[in-house]
Amino acid sequence: MVNLTPDEYVNQLFQEDELLLKVKEAIRANGMPEVSVAAAYGRLLTFLAKTSKAEAVLEIGVLGGYSGICLARGLSDGGTLTSLELKEEYAAMAHGHLEEGGFGDKVEYRIGPAADSLEQLAQEGRTFDFFFIDADKENYPVYLDYAIRLARPGAVIVGDNCFLRGRTLNPDKQGPAVLAVRRFNEQMASDSRLITTMLPDYDGLALAWVK
């Protein structure tokens, strides 16, 4: 018998429910990238949103709505989720899944380049107490700057894929996405406005608390 990896073991313990499995199947059927967060990772997002008593969550990168469902499940009563997505068809699919989960009235979608949407939110004076960054890697430093700018004191920032499947760790890799994620990781670790850690699971998960 082959030993399970730690990730495989944990994801075996935390099975996905019918709605989350449906999201994955819809993504597969529509030829979308199959890069939704793992089952236990989704539970972690719910846990973090719930324990931080998140009232206003900002999600950068939507895909089929898997992480959005997990975040919405952790919202405080009356809380809202604002999701930024480049592609209108992805946002439409995600919204359908959020509606099916009973969160349709809690989520707002902004379509277009995330940096543009973030600037618009800043101009509107919007603030948030939880951020999940899981979008195009070359703009991770931009997204982090905006997250800090839009954060309420005590907000939580979560950044996904900080290892880029090992490329961030390999000094021979110098592509634009790798360099951008390294800058993101370094700022998360050194910015005096943040209290930060990074988990070596799930392809590198950065966590920060905004002072």
Side-chain angles (χ1 to χ4, degrees), residues 51-107:
T51 54
S52 64
K53 297 180 171 57
E55 297 178 348
V57 174
L58 180 62
E59 174 189 33
I60 306 174
V62 170
L63 196 60
Y66 192 108
S67 58
I69 291 168
C70 297
L71 291 166
R73 286 174 172 172
L75 284 171
S76 297
D77 290 343
T80 60
L81 170 65
T82 301
S83 296
L84 311 185
E85 174 55 50
L86 178 64
K87 298 185 178 182
E88 188 169 359
E89 63 270 26
Y90 286 11
M93 176 189 288
H95 194 203
H97 290 138
L98 268 290
E99 284 186 325
E100 188 170 346
F103 305 112
D105 61 341
K106 296 181 180 295
V107 61

Coordinates of all heavy atoms in Angstrom, one line a residue, residues 51-107:
T51 N -13.7 32.8 12.0 CA -13.1 33.1 13.2 C -12.6 34.6 13.2 O -12.5 35.2 14.3 CB -11.8 32.2 13.5 OG1 -11.0 32.3 12.3 CG2 -12.2 30.8 13.7
S52 N -12.5 35.2 12.0 CA -12.1 36.6 12.0 C -13.4 37.5 12.0 O -13.3 38.7 11.9 CB -11.3 36.9 10.8 OG -12.0 36.7 9.6
K53 N -14.6 36.8 12.0 CA -15.8 37.5 12.1 C -16.0 38.5 10.9 O -16.4 39.7 11.0 CB -16.0 38.3 13.4 CG -16.1 37.4 14.6 CD -16.3 38.2 15.9 CE -16.5 37.3 17.1 NZ -15.5 36.3 17.3
A54 N -15.6 38.0 9.7 CA -15.6 38.8 8.5 C -17.0 39.3 8.1 O -17.9 38.5 8.0 CB -15.0 38.0 7.3
E55 N -17.1 40.6 7.9 CA -18.3 41.2 7.5 C -18.3 41.6 6.0 O -19.3 41.7 5.4 CB -18.7 42.4 8.4 CG -18.9 42.1 9.8 CD -19.2 43.3 10.7 OE1 -19.0 44.4 10.2 OE2 -19.6 43.1 11.8
A56 N -17.1 41.9 5.5 CA -16.9 42.4 4.1 C -15.7 41.7 3.6 O -14.6 42.1 3.9 CB -16.8 43.9 4.1
V57 N -15.9 40.7 2.7 CA -14.9 39.9 2.1 C -14.6 40.3 0.7 O -15.6 40.5 -0.1 CB -15.2 38.4 2.2 CG1 -14.1 37.6 1.5 CG2 -15.3 38.0 3.6
L58 N -13.4 40.5 0.3 CA -13.0 40.8 -1.1 C -12.2 39.6 -1.6 O -11.2 39.2 -1.1 CB -12.2 42.0 -1.2 CG -11.7 42.5 -2.6 CD1 -12.9 42.8 -3.5 CD2 -10.8 43.7 -2.5
E59 N -12.7 39.0 -2.7 CA -12.1 37.9 -3.4 C -11.6 38.4 -4.8 O -12.3 38.9 -5.6 CB -13.1 36.8 -3.6 CG -12.7 35.6 -4.4 CD -13.8 34.6 -4.7 OE1 -14.9 35.1 -4.9 OE2 -13.5 33.4 -4.8
I60 N -10.3 38.1 -5.0 CA -9.7 38.5 -6.3 C -9.4 37.2 -7.1 O -8.5 36.4 -6.7 CB -8.4 39.3 -6.1 CG1 -8.7 40.5 -5.2 CG2 -7.8 39.7 -7.4 CD1 -7.4 41.3 -4.9
G61 N -10.2 36.9 -8.1 CA -10.2 35.7 -8.8 C -11.3 34.8 -8.4 O -11.5 34.4 -7.3
V62 N -12.2 34.5 -9.4 CA -13.5 33.8 -9.1 C -13.5 32.4 -9.6 O -14.0 31.5 -8.9 CB -14.7 34.6 -9.7 CG1 -16.0 33.9 -9.6 CG2 -14.8 36.0 -8.9
L63 N -13.2 32.2 -10.9 CA -13.3 30.9 -11.6 C -14.8 30.4 -11.5 O -15.7 31.2 -11.9 CB -12.3 29.9 -11.1 CG -12.1 28.7 -11.9 CD1 -11.6 29.1 -13.3 CD2 -11.1 27.7 -11.3
G64 N -15.0 29.2 -11.0 CA -16.4 28.7 -11.0 C -17.2 29.0 -9.7 O -18.3 28.5 -9.6
G65 N -16.5 29.6 -8.7 CA -17.3 29.9 -7.5 C -16.9 29.0 -6.3 O -17.5 29.2 -5.2
Y66 N -16.0 28.1 -6.4 CA -15.7 27.2 -5.3 C -15.2 28.0 -4.1 O -15.7 27.8 -3.0 CB -14.6 26.2 -5.8 CG -14.3 25.1 -4.9 CD1 -14.8 23.8 -5.2 CD2 -13.7 25.2 -3.7 CE1 -14.5 22.7 -4.4 CE2 -13.4 24.1 -2.8 CZ -13.9 22.9 -3.2 OH -13.6 21.8 -2.4
S67 N -14.2 28.8 -4.3 CA -13.6 29.5 -3.1 C -14.7 30.6 -2.6 O -14.8 30.8 -1.4 CB -12.3 30.2 -3.4 OG -12.5 31.1 -4.5
G68 N -15.5 31.1 -3.5 CA -16.5 32.1 -3.1 C -17.5 31.4 -2.2 O -17.9 32.0 -1.2
I69 N -17.9 30.2 -2.5 CA -18.8 29.5 -1.6 C -18.2 29.3 -0.2 O -18.8 29.5 0.8 CB -19.2 28.1 -2.2 CG1 -20.1 28.3 -3.5 CG2 -20.0 27.2 -1.2 CD1 -20.3 27.1 -4.3
C70 N -16.9 28.9 -0.2 CA -16.3 28.6 1.0 C -16.2 29.9 1.9 O -16.4 29.9 3.1 CB -14.9 28.0 0.8 SG -14.9 26.4 0.0
L71 N -15.8 31.0 1.2 CA -15.8 32.3 1.9 C -17.1 32.7 2.4 O -17.3 33.2 3.5 CB -15.2 33.4 1.0 CG -13.7 33.2 0.6 CD1 -13.3 34.1 -0.6 CD2 -12.8 33.5 1.8
A72 N -18.2 32.6 1.6 CA -19.5 33.0 2.0 C -20.0 32.2 3.1 O -20.7 32.7 4.0 CB -20.5 32.9 0.8
R73 N -19.6 31.0 3.2 CA -20.0 30.1 4.4 C -19.4 30.6 5.7 O -20.0 30.3 6.8 CB -19.6 28.7 4.1 CG -20.5 28.0 3.1 CD -20.0 26.6 2.7 NE -21.0 25.9 1.9 CZ -20.8 24.7 1.3 NH1 -19.6 24.1 1.5 NH2 -21.7 24.2 0.5
G74 N -18.4 31.4 5.6 CA -17.8 31.9 6.8 C -18.2 33.4 7.2 O -17.7 33.9 8.2
L75 N -19.0 34.0 6.4 CA -19.4 35.4 6.6 C -20.2 35.5 7.9 O -21.0 34.6 8.3 CB -20.3 35.9 5.4 CG -19.6 36.2 4.1 CD1 -20.7 36.5 3.1 CD2 -18.8 37.5 4.3
S76 N -20.1 36.6 8.6 CA -20.9 37.0 9.7 C -22.3 37.2 9.2 O -22.5 37.5 8.0 CB -20.4 38.2 10.4 OG -19.1 38.0 10.9
D77 N -23.3 37.2 10.1 CA -24.7 37.5 9.7 C -24.7 38.9 9.0 O -24.2 39.9 9.6 CB -25.6 37.5 10.9 CG -25.8 36.1 11.4 OD1 -25.5 35.1 10.7 OD2 -26.2 36.0 12.6
G78 N -25.3 39.0 7.9 CA -25.4 40.3 7.2 C -24.1 40.6 6.4 O -24.1 41.7 5.8
G79 N -23.2 39.7 6.4 CA -21.9 40.0 5.7 C -22.1 39.9 4.2 O -23.0 39.3 3.7
T80 N -21.1 40.5 3.5 CA -21.1 40.5 2.0 C -19.8 40.0 1.4 O -18.7 40.2 2.0 CB -21.4 41.9 1.5 OG1 -20.4 42.8 1.9 CG2 -22.8 42.4 2.0
L81 N -19.9 39.5 0.2 CA -18.7 39.1 -0.6 C -18.6 39.9 -1.9 O -19.6 39.9 -2.6 CB -18.8 37.6 -0.9 CG -17.8 37.0 -1.9 CD1 -16.4 37.0 -1.3 CD2 -18.2 35.6 -2.2
T82 N -17.5 40.5 -2.1 CA -17.3 41.2 -3.4 C -16.2 40.4 -4.1 O -15.1 40.2 -3.6 CB -16.8 42.7 -3.1 OG1 -17.8 43.4 -2.4 CG2 -16.6 43.4 -4.4
S83 N -16.6 40.0 -5.3 CA -15.7 39.1 -6.1 C -15.3 39.8 -7.4 O -16.1 40.3 -8.1 CB -16.4 37.8 -6.4 OG -16.6 37.1 -5.2
L84 N -14.0 39.8 -7.7 CA -13.4 40.4 -8.9 C -13.0 39.4 -9.9 O -12.3 38.4 -9.5 CB -12.2 41.3 -8.5 CG -12.4 42.3 -7.3 CD1 -11.1 43.1 -7.2 CD2 -13.6 43.1 -7.5
E85 N -13.5 39.5 -11.1 CA -13.2 38.5 -12.1 C -13.0 39.1 -13.5 O -13.8 40.0 -13.8 CB -14.3 37.4 -12.1 CG -14.3 36.4 -13.2 CD -12.9 35.6 -13.3 OE1 -12.5 35.1 -12.2 OE2 -12.3 35.6 -14.3
L86 N -12.0 38.7 -14.2 CA -11.8 39.2 -15.5 C -12.8 38.8 -16.5 O -13.3 39.7 -17.3 CB -10.4 38.8 -16.0 CG -10.0 39.2 -17.4 CD1 -9.8 40.8 -17.4 CD2 -8.6 38.6 -17.8
K87 N -13.3 37.6 -16.5 CA -14.1 37.0 -17.5 C -15.6 37.0 -17.0 O -15.9 36.4 -16.0 CB -13.7 35.6 -17.9 CG -12.3 35.6 -18.5 CD -11.9 34.2 -19.0 CE -10.5 34.2 -19.6 NZ -10.1 32.8 -20.1
E88 N -16.4 37.6 -17.8 CA -17.9 37.6 -17.5 C -18.5 36.3 -17.4 O -19.3 36.0 -16.5 CB -18.6 38.5 -18.5 CG -20.1 38.8 -18.1 CD -20.7 39.8 -19.0 OE1 -20.0 40.4 -19.9 OE2 -21.9 40.2 -18.8
E89 N -18.1 35.3 -18.2 CA -18.7 34.0 -18.2 C -18.3 33.2 -17.0 O -19.1 32.4 -16.4 CB -18.3 33.2 -19.5 CG -16.8 32.9 -19.6 CD -16.1 34.0 -20.4 OE1 -16.6 35.2 -20.4 OE2 -15.1 33.6 -21.0
Y90 N -17.1 33.5 -16.4 CA -16.7 32.8 -15.2 C -17.6 33.4 -14.0 O -18.0 32.6 -13.2 CB -15.2 33.1 -14.9 CG -14.3 32.3 -15.7 CD1 -14.7 31.6 -16.9 CD2 -12.9 32.3 -15.4 CE1 -13.8 30.9 -17.6 CE2 -12.0 31.6 -16.2 CZ -12.4 30.9 -17.3 OH -11.5 30.2 -18.1
A91 N -17.7 34.7 -14.0 CA -18.5 35.3 -12.9 C -20.0 34.8 -13.0 O -20.6 34.6 -11.9 CB -18.5 36.8 -13.0
A92 N -20.5 34.7 -14.2 CA -21.9 34.2 -14.3 C -22.1 32.8 -13.8 O -23.0 32.5 -13.1 CB -22.3 34.3 -15.8
M93 N -21.1 31.9 -14.1 CA -21.1 30.6 -13.5 C -21.0 30.6 -12.0 O -21.8 29.9 -11.3 CB -20.0 29.7 -14.1 CG -20.0 28.3 -13.5 SD -18.6 27.3 -14.0 CE -19.0 27.0 -15.7
A94 N -20.1 31.4 -11.5 CA -19.9 31.4 -10.1 C -21.1 32.0 -9.4 O -21.6 31.4 -8.3 CB -18.7 32.3 -9.8
H95 N -21.8 33.0 -10.0 CA -23.0 33.5 -9.3 C -24.1 32.5 -9.3 O -24.8 32.4 -8.3 CB -23.4 34.8 -10.1 CG -24.5 35.6 -9.4 ND1 -25.3 36.4 -10.0 CD2 -24.7 35.7 -8.1 CE1 -26.1 37.0 -9.1 NE2 -25.8 36.6 -7.9
G96 N -24.2 31.7 -10.3 CA -25.2 30.6 -10.3 C -25.0 29.7 -9.2 O -25.9 29.2 -8.5
H97 N -23.7 29.3 -8.9 CA -23.4 28.4 -7.9 C -23.6 29.0 -6.5 O -24.1 28.4 -5.6 CB -22.0 27.9 -8.0 CG -21.7 27.0 -9.2 ND1 -20.7 27.1 -10.0 CD2 -22.5 26.0 -9.7 CE1 -20.7 26.1 -10.9 NE2 -21.9 25.5 -10.8
L98 N -23.3 30.3 -6.4 CA -23.5 31.0 -5.1 C -25.0 31.1 -4.8 O -25.4 30.9 -3.6 CB -22.9 32.4 -5.1 CG -21.4 32.6 -4.6 CD1 -21.4 32.4 -3.1 CD2 -20.5 31.6 -5.3
E99 N -25.8 31.4 -5.8 CA -27.2 31.4 -5.6 C -27.8 30.0 -5.2 O -28.6 30.0 -4.3 CB -27.9 31.8 -6.9 CG -27.8 33.3 -7.3 CD -28.6 33.7 -8.5 OE1 -28.7 32.9 -9.4 OE2 -29.2 34.8 -8.5
E100 N -27.2 29.0 -5.8 CA -27.7 27.6 -5.4 C -27.3 27.3 -4.0 O -28.1 26.6 -3.3 CB -27.0 26.6 -6.4 CG -27.6 25.2 -6.2 CD -27.1 24.3 -7.3 OE1 -26.6 24.7 -8.3 OE2 -27.2 23.0 -7.1
G101 N -26.2 27.9 -3.5 CA -25.8 27.7 -2.1 C -26.5 28.6 -1.2 O -26.3 28.5 0.1
G102 N -27.4 29.5 -1.6 CA -28.2 30.4 -0.8 C -27.5 31.7 -0.5 O -27.8 32.4 0.4
F103 N -26.4 32.0 -1.3 CA -25.7 33.3 -1.0 C -25.8 34.3 -2.2 O -25.0 35.2 -2.2 CB -24.2 32.9 -0.9 CG -23.9 31.9 0.2 CD1 -23.4 30.6 -0.1 CD2 -24.1 32.2 1.5 CE1 -23.2 29.7 0.8 CE2 -23.9 31.2 2.5 CZ -23.4 30.0 2.2
G104 N -26.7 34.1 -3.0 CA -26.9 35.0 -4.2 C -27.0 36.4 -3.8 O -26.6 37.3 -4.5
D105 N -27.7 36.7 -2.7 CA -28.0 38.1 -2.3 C -26.8 38.7 -1.5 O -26.9 39.9 -1.1 CB -29.3 38.2 -1.5 CG -29.2 37.4 -0.2 OD1 -28.4 36.4 -0.1 OD2 -30.1 37.6 0.7
K106 N -25.8 37.9 -1.2 CA -24.7 38.4 -0.4 C -23.4 38.7 -1.3 O -22.5 39.2 -0.7 CB -24.3 37.3 0.6 CG -25.4 37.0 1.6 CD -24.9 35.9 2.6 CE -26.0 35.6 3.6 NZ -26.2 36.8 4.5
V107 N -23.5 38.4 -2.6 CA -22.3 38.5 -3.4 C -22.5 39.6 -4.5 O -23.6 39.7 -5.1 CB -21.9 37.2 -4.0 CG1 -23.0 36.6 -4.9 CG2 -20.5 37.3 -4.8

